[in-house]
Amino acid sequence: MNQPSVEKVIEQVIAQMKHLKSPIEETCPIGIVSMDNWEWPQGVGLHSMYLYYRSTKRMEILQELVEWYDGQMVKGLPPKNVNTMCPMLTLTYLYEETGREDYLALCREWVGYVMKEMPRTEEGGIQHVVSGQLNEGELWDDTLYMTVLFIARMGVIVKEDSLVQESIRQFLLHLKYLTDRRTGLFFHGWTFQGRHHFAEALWARGNSWYTAGLVDYLDMVTLPDGVKSVLLTALESQVRTLANLQSAEGMWHTLLNDQTSYVETSATAAFAYGILKAIRKGYLSTEFMDTGIKAWHAVVKQIDANGIVRGVSYGTGMGRTLQEYKDIPICPMPYGQSMALLMLVEGLEHQLTL
């Protein structure tokens, strides 16, 4: 049997992402498996689709994205929060592609909400409000990917430096409170109410939002050298520890420092994407190339013959115990498909083959 090409696997992964159905009873107020809904997993999927379009210039992909947003706008959007903000990132790019003023107006409305109405923690951090939960006083590492990237993009589009500066503030504030100084990894969350890191979980996917998000953030904005240096040294510190924690097969455990927790594919794919792109862009030394390539091949093995990415954990709230992370069910998810997509496309840049 002939080995499929990377391009063929990419097509299969995209096709499956569009038609995922939940094999488990969903616990989130808005379903996070089906691409028919507007939530953060769909936002991550849309972003990967757009970056794939930008790489290939295939107009049918752009048209599918436009149709998705138009359909959602007709249906009506959900209440604004950190997670439902995620699909807005790709809409900023679609505005640039299409010049549609209704897209820009919607983006302005939602970023205005972030800046003026979204609840804040002490020191002005974006409180990780999600659908059905206020999470008062809490900072989560997820917020950087779900909302802060959108803020940065809007600053560039509407030429408002205050938005870019706000994105910088949020990155630095989250680093300040979420960094585990012993390892260079990131805790899932911090609460100002009690001033602790909950279960002190060094959760894989939460960490991977930084790895994958930072390399895209640096494509979006021009940062002062001092700020860029802080963000990149944090990345290097994280990746150095990740290299030591990588499993023999190239995966990472859902609790990075706990080998009794299961290995998890979406985080591994996001780490592979971030590491490989960071090396290509000169942000990381080539000493980490083997780590990235090993992860790339490990994720490829988790993609079945139909293009479904296996070994992906369901949406994960803030765990009060480490066991809660181990108990999160595994099922196909849009962000598993999308992070695999980004990783595969980045692999083409490095001429990786299956």
Side-chain angles (χ1 to χ4, degrees):
M1 182 181 297
N2 292 330
Q3 183 85 325
S5 66
V6 175
E7 291 84 357
K8 176 64 174 177
V9 175
I10 287 172
E11 293 301 317
Q12 291 174 323
V13 167
I14 292 173
Q16 291 294 345
M17 180 168 64
K18 297 175 187 175
H19 304 294
L20 288 180
K21 301 297 179 185
S22 179
I24 64 174
E25 183 177 349
E26 296 226 53
T27 58
C28 298
I30 301 174
I32 60 174
V33 177
S34 170
M35 286 298 292
D36 293 337
N37 297 322
W38 179 295
E39 252 285 5
W40 69 268
Q42 292 82 6
V44 176
L46 294 162
H47 182 52
S48 71
M49 287 284 290
Y50 174 75
L51 292 182
Y52 184 53
Y53 156 74
R54 199 164 67 183
S55 172
T56 62
K57 296 302 181 184
R58 289 175 49 188
M59 295 304 296
E60 69 271 20
I61 298 175
L62 182 65
Q63 185 58 35
E64 287 179 3
L65 289 169
V66 168
E67 290 173 358
W68 188 90
Y69 280 96
D70 288 353
Q72 293 290 329
M73 290 165 67
V74 169
K75 185 166 63 174
L77 306 190
K80 302 177 182 70
N81 60 54
V82 167
N83 282 348
T84 58
M85 202 67 56
C86 188
M88 299 304 297
L89 174 61
T90 301
L91 193 60
T92 66
Y93 290 104
L94 291 191
Y95 161 68
E96 288 185 323
E97 295 284 347
T98 64
R100 284 180 49 173
E101 290 298 323
D102 56 339
Y103 287 176
L104 179 60
L106 193 60
C107 290
R108 285 186 180 276
E109 175 191 335
W110 280 58
V111 81
Y113 175 83
V114 175
M115 298 298 289
K116 298 175 183 177
E117 299 181 54
M118 184 170 279
R120 299 291 175 125
T121 68
E122 292 180 28
E123 300 186 34
I126 293 178
Q127 181 173 304
H128 194 80
V129 179
V130 300
S131 299
Q133 194 72 36
L134 282 176
N135 298 322
E136 293 184 23
E138 297 181 16
L139 297 175
W140 296 22
D141 46 20
D142 317 50
T143 302
L144 296 175
Y145 201 99
M146 306 312 161
T147 292
V148 178
L149 296 185
F150 167 57
I151 297 172
R153 275 289 298 160
M154 283 301 293
V156 173
I157 288 175
V158 300
K159 296 181 173 58
E160 289 186 16
D161 186 60
S162 62
L163 296 176
V164 176
Q165 296 304 317
E166 178 66 7
S167 74
I168 292 172
R169 180 163 74 121
Q170 293 303 322
F171 262 91
L172 296 180
L173 188 65
H174 281 72
L175 285 185
K176 175 181 177 180
Y177 282 101
L178 298 181
T179 300
D180 174 21
R181 292 180 175 86
R182 296 164 296 182
T183 64
L185 302 175
F186 304 115
F187 294 114
H188 187 183
W190 164 266
T191 176
F192 286 98
Q193 297 184 355
R195 307 187 77 83
H196 58 74
H197 292 107
F198 299 95
E200 298 191 358
L202 299 174
W203 176 48
R205 191 161 60 242
N207 270 264
S208 76
W209 293 133
Y210 186 80
T211 322
L214 180 62
V215 292
D216 290 345
Y217 179 58
L218 295 176
D219 282 347
M220 298 174 190
V221 295
T222 301
L223 299 176
D225 288 345
V227 173
K228 185 176 180 180
S229 176
V230 169
L231 298 181
L232 287 178
T233 53
L235 176 67
E236 181 179 356
S237 180
Q238 181 203 42
V239 171
R240 193 169 297 281
T241 299
L242 287 174
N244 292 329
L245 294 175
Q246 191 174 28
S247 71
E249 67 267 35
M251 301 282 284
W252 279 278
H253 295 267
T254 197
L255 292 173
L256 289 166
N257 58 341
D258 184 352
Q259 294 185 10
T260 68
S261 65
Y262 56 76
V263 293
E264 205 278 329
T265 307
S266 70
T268 300
F271 286 140
Y273 168 69
I275 291 169
L276 291 173
K277 183 172 179 178
I279 293 170
R280 176 169 60 85
K281 301 283 283 190
Y283 303 147
L284 284 178
S285 163
T286 55
E287 70 178 286
F288 299 111
M289 183 67 81
D290 287 347
T291 300
I293 292 176
K294 188 176 180 181
W296 192 91
H297 285 291
V299 171
V300 167
K301 291 178 182 177
Q302 296 295 319
I303 304 173
D304 71 17
N306 297 315
I308 295 177
V309 180
R310 302 293 182 182
V312 176
S313 63
Y314 186 70
T316 305
M318 186 59 60
R320 268 55 178 180
T321 68
L322 295 177
Q323 187 61 42
E324 291 178 40
Y325 292 88
K326 298 181 182 183
D327 293 340
I328 297 294
I330 293 175
C331 66
M333 296 296 295
Y335 47 82
Q337 301 294 126
S338 63
M339 282 304 169
L341 169 60
L342 291 180
M343 182 204 78
L344 289 166
V345 174
E346 182 61 31
L348 291 175
E349 296 282 350
H350 295 266
Q351 299 183 325
L352 300 182
T353 57
L354 303 179

